[in-house]
């Protein structure tokens, strides 16, 4: 018979479908997915921090464009990663569904009859004494064996029993759990978003949920900015408890507004505030020094700047940038190219007896600022992004900013630093800020469900053994019992002996037949 092109194509597709849905292929694809995820943890990802990608471009200008064309900075959105992910999903579904159908069919099928020669089975006994058929079958059912009674053509009656289908149920649930986890991860990748924000104390430093107010954020491919829930937060008070030079508890009292609703909340670590599935987490804290700058014309400006902790003792670095100072009352204008900035280092507990500007306690027992002053052009008007925690080094290198104090000056709370032009900087206070992270992860419950299914499936998949047991009443008055294990199971003999004593308590095994069959798959 000649093969038509349609039949050949159908045969080709069937062959490759069987290959794709085999467990071996699924394992290879799972390994390929793990290998494909390595670049995502090696190179910075745009969805997490685009500034890191820009920094990689600056550091490796020749290599970065090549990697970008290979989607190295968008690994989890790349076509090749998506292709592996999709093939793995298809492979697992194509593997699990037929097995599930076959398993359901097997659950509805009665246990098979015993072979004519029961003495060829791995465990076999001939019983002497009275063995009641109904009592034996009832005893098997009480022990949760699936049973069926049959009468053969020769008149012999056999009770067939089978147990251990929970093993295959566990195997199927295990593979199903992987599919559920993959679906949850995919949903999270497409629909999740996050944003981080430093929130200082006071109503003047409130925060509303929009991208412009985040210090860092990332949106899933299917998330639009207009879909973010409309809530606002204000940090009323923040307290931190310390013990053995480390924080033991953070506690942030916040006021929130969501639509027409308002309220207060005690925000703590692992105790997030929830807005219809969007969680607000407290993930850290730091200090906000408050200073007052008085220019040479006597005009004062009070500013607060969040400082970035550098270690567990909360020694922190930051900067004060004052672009709109030095207002000349005679001309009515701000002196050009005479902006002022300070690189600063905050020590929460300064020990003056040591030569090092380094604290070993995170609490504010003796807060001290180490200051380096610059005047000139801060470079804030060029529109380029820059760190809020330091003075622009490019401006210093180009000479646009000049250091005006010869040495780093250290001042304590209430002290004043004087600059050569007559201006001063007073260290007024130290406030605290909370670091919050807003996160929406719709796939997290799906992943959790998959993990719970996986854990529930492991026990039956690993511990349960499928086995069969038969009792036959022959026409010559003899009674035989036999057992067969469908998996590697060393306890078959012990279990069958105990089972026989239960279902036939009045009988005694008089012979034990050594069978050449030790196990069966």
């Amino acid at each position: 018979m000649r093969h038509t092109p349609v039949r050949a194509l159908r045969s080709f597709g069937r062959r490759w479908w069987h290959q794709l849905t085999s467990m071996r292929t699924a394992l290879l694809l799972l390994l390929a997915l793990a290998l494909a995820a390595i670049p995502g943890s090696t190179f910075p990802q745009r969805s997490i921090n685009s500034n890191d990608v820009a920094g990689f471009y600056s550091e490796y200008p020749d290599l970065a464009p090549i990697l970008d064309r290979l989607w190295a900075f968008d690994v989890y959105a790349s076509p090749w990663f998506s292709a592996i992910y999709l093939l793995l999903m298809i492979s697992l579904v194509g593997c699990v569904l037929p097995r599930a159908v076959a398993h359901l069919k097997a659950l509805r099928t009665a246990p098979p009859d015993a072979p004519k020669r029961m003495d060829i089975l791995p465990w076999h006994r001939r019983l002497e004494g009275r063995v009641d058929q109904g009592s034996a079958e009832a005893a098997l059912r009480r022990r949760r064996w699936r049973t069926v009674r049959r009468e053969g053509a020769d008149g012999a009656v056999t009770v067939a029993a089978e147990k251990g289908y929970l093993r295959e149920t566990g195997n199927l649930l295990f593979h199903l759990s992987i599919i559920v986890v993959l679906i949850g991860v995919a949903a999270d990748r497409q629909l999740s978003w996050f944003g981080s924000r430093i929130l200082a104390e006071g109503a003047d430093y409130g925060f509303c949920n929009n991208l412009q107010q985040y210090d860092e954020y990332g949106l899933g491919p299917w998330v639009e900015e207009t879909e973010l829930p409309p809530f606002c937060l204000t940090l009323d008070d923040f307290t931190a408890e310390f013990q053995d030079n480390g924080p033991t508890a953070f506690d942030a009292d916040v006021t929130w507004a969501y639509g027409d609703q308002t309220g207060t909340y005690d925000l703590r670590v692992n105790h997030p505030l929830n807005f219809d599935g969007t969680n607000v987490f407290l993930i850290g804290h730091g200090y906000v020094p408050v200073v007052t700058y008085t220019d040479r014309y006597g005009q004062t400006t009070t500013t607060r700047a969040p400082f970035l902790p550098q270690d567990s003792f909360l020694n922190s670095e930051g900067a004060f940038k004052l672009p709109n100072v030095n207002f000349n009352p005679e001309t009515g204008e701000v002196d050009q190219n005479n902006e002022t900035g300070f690189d600063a280092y905050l020590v929460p507990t300064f020990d003056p007896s040591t030569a090092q500007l380094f604290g070993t306690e995170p609490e504010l027992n003796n807060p001290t600022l180490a200051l380096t002053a610059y005047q000139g052009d801060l470079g804030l008007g060029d529109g380029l992004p820059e760190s809020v925690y330091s003075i622009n080094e490019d401006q210093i290198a180009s000479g646009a900013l000049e250091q005006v104090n010869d040495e780093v000056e250290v001042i304590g709370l209430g002290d004043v630093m004087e600059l050569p032009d007559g201006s001063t900087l007073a260290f007024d206070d130290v406030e605290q800020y909370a670091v919050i992270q807003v996160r929406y992860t719709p796939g997290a419950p799906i992943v959790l469900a998959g993990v719970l299914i996986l854990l529930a499936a492991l026990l039956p998949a690993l511990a349960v053994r499928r086995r069969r047991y038969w009792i036959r009443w022959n026409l010559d008055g003899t009674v035989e019992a036999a057992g067969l294990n469908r998996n590697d199971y060393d306890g078959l003999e012990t279990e069958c002996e105990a089972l026989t004593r239960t279902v036939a308590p009045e009988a005694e095994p008089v012979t034990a037949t050594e069978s050449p069959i030790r196990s069966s798959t």
Side-chain angles (χ1 to χ4, degrees):
M1 179 184 295
R2 296 183 61 185
H3 292 282
T4 65
V6 174
R7 182 176 297 175
L9 184 62
R10 185 182 303 162
S11 177
F12 175 82
R14 186 183 298 113
R15 183 169 62 253
W16 278 101
W17 173 254
H18 289 319
Q19 184 68 26
L20 176 63
T21 56
S22 67
M23 187 52 61
R24 179 181 179 183
T25 301
L27 292 174
L28 290 175
L29 288 171
L30 192 60
L31 176 62
L33 189 70
L35 294 175
I38 293 177
S41 58
T42 304
F43 301 108
Q45 300 297 295
R46 283 195 178 90
S47 60
I48 298 176
N49 194 329
S50 58
N51 291 330
D52 289 346
V53 177
F56 192 93
Y57 260 89
S58 301
E59 189 173 357
Y60 305 100
D62 297 329
L63 178 62
I66 299 175
L67 293 175
D68 205 0
R69 284 194 291 270
L70 297 175
W71 298 78
F73 304 125
D74 297 282
V75 169
Y76 306 111
S78 64
W80 47 269
F81 189 88
S82 301
I84 298 174
Y85 205 95
L86 183 60
L87 285 174
L88 177 60
M89 286 284 294
I90 295 174
S91 178
L92 286 173
V93 172
C95 176
V96 171
L97 281 182
R99 286 182 59 182
V101 172
H103 183 55
L104 291 175
K105 184 178 180 181
L107 289 176
R108 295 193 300 268
T109 303
D113 201 357
K116 289 185 177 181
R117 288 190 54 195
M118 294 178 65
D119 57 356
I120 67 173
L121 295 174
W123 182 88
H124 175 259
R125 296 290 186 273
R126 293 186 184 276
L127 306 179
E128 186 178 83
R130 180 178 178 276
V131 181
D132 183 77
Q133 297 178 10
S135 298
E137 185 177 7
L140 287 169
R141 294 195 178 195
R142 283 196 301 271
R143 296 175 68 89
R144 295 191 176 91
W145 286 73
R146 298 172 60 243
T147 63
V148 63
R149 190 192 309 188
R150 296 187 180 92
E151 184 174 349
D154 57 357
V157 176
T158 304
V159 172
E162 190 169 23
K163 197 173 186 180
Y165 276 89
L166 198 59
R167 177 187 178 90
E168 179 63 10
T169 303
N171 282 329
L172 290 173
L173 288 176
F174 179 83
H175 292 92
L176 176 64
S177 69
I178 299 177
I179 297 176
V180 173
V181 170
L182 289 175
I183 292 174
V185 171
D188 226 34
R189 174 68 186 87
Q190 299 299 118
L191 298 173
S192 66
W193 61 271
F194 78 94
S196 298
R197 162 83 184 201
I198 288 178
L199 192 60
E201 291 177 324
D204 295 336
Y205 304 98
F207 155 75
C208 288
N209 187 31
N210 58 73
L211 298 185
Q212 289 73 26
Q213 296 196 33
Y214 280 117
D215 300 323
E216 181 184 2
Y217 66 87
L219 299 181
W222 293 354
V223 179
E224 298 292 338
E225 181 180 354
T226 55
E227 298 175 355
L228 304 186
F231 66 84
C232 295
L233 290 177
T234 300
L235 179 61
D236 301 323
D237 183 56
F238 183 89
T239 57
E241 297 179 6
F242 300 92
Q243 185 176 0
D244 297 330
N245 297 331
T248 58
F250 298 148
D251 198 331
D253 295 327
V254 298
T255 299
W256 58 268
Y258 182 45
D260 297 331
Q261 302 176 352
T262 59
T264 59
Y265 192 78
D266 183 13
L267 189 63
R268 302 190 303 274
V269 177
N270 297 325
H271 190 244
L273 174 60
N274 184 276
F275 297 104
D276 294 335
T278 299
N279 290 308
V280 181
F281 295 93
L282 176 62
I283 62 174
H285 91 296
Y287 292 123
V288 182
V290 182
V291 296
T292 298
Y293 177 74
T294 304
D295 64 23
R296 59 179 176 270
Y297 301 109
Q299 306 295 324
T300 61
T301 302
T302 300
T303 184
R304 295 167 170 82
F307 275 38
L308 188 66
Q310 301 300 299
D311 51 41
S312 59
F313 303 119
L314 297 184
N315 296 293
S316 309
E317 66 177 10
F320 303 107
K321 301 181 182 183
L322 304 159
N324 299 316
V325 295
N326 297 313
F327 176 78
N328 190 335
E330 295 180 0
T331 62
E333 297 178 352
V334 175
D335 292 350
Q336 296 298 318
N337 294 325
N338 201 16
E339 299 171 337
T340 303
F342 298 84
D343 258 333
Y345 193 79
L346 172 69
V347 179
T349 301
F350 175 62
D351 185 358
S353 65
T354 63
Q356 294 182 343
L357 190 65
F358 179 83
T360 57
E361 296 181 18
E363 294 183 87
L364 293 171
N365 294 325
N366 184 23
T368 302
L369 281 176
L371 299 163
T372 303
Y374 297 91
Q375 287 185 334
D377 181 10
L378 292 173
L380 301 179
D382 54 13
L384 297 177
E386 64 175 75
S387 173
V388 298
Y389 302 108
S390 63
I391 300 297
N392 193 324
E393 294 183 358
D394 293 336
Q395 295 295 100
I396 299 174
S398 67
L401 274 177
E402 294 183 0
Q403 183 175 336
V404 296
N405 58 329
D406 296 332
E407 296 180 353
V408 175
E409 186 159 346
V410 178
I411 61 175
L413 194 63
D415 294 340
V416 178
M417 173 185 179
E418 294 185 4
L419 275 64
D421 66 349
S423 59
T424 61
L425 186 77
F427 186 12
D428 298 332
D429 195 8
V430 180
E431 299 174 348
Q432 297 190 85
Y433 67 77
V435 182
I436 63 169
Q437 185 176 84
V438 184
R439 184 172 289 274
Y440 176 65
T441 54
I446 303 176
V447 173
L448 177 61
V451 172
L452 293 177
I453 293 173
L454 185 148
L455 294 176
L458 279 178
L459 184 61
L462 297 177
V464 175
R465 296 293 182 266
R466 190 174 169 188
R467 59 267 193 210
R468 290 171 179 168
Y469 181 82
W470 294 274
I471 297 183
R472 176 181 289 166
W473 289 264
N474 297 308
L475 290 181
D476 60 3
T478 60
V479 180
E480 296 177 273
L484 173 67
N485 55 319
R486 297 296 308 276
N487 308 102
D488 293 334
Y489 179 38
D490 295 333
L492 176 68
E493 182 174 346
T494 302
E495 182 178 21
C496 287
E497 294 282 3
L499 190 61
T500 301
R501 289 192 296 270
T502 301
V503 301
E506 300 179 8
E508 292 291 336
V510 295
T511 60
T513 306
E514 188 68 25
S515 170
I517 303 178
R518 306 318 308 168
S519 64
S520 172
T521 58

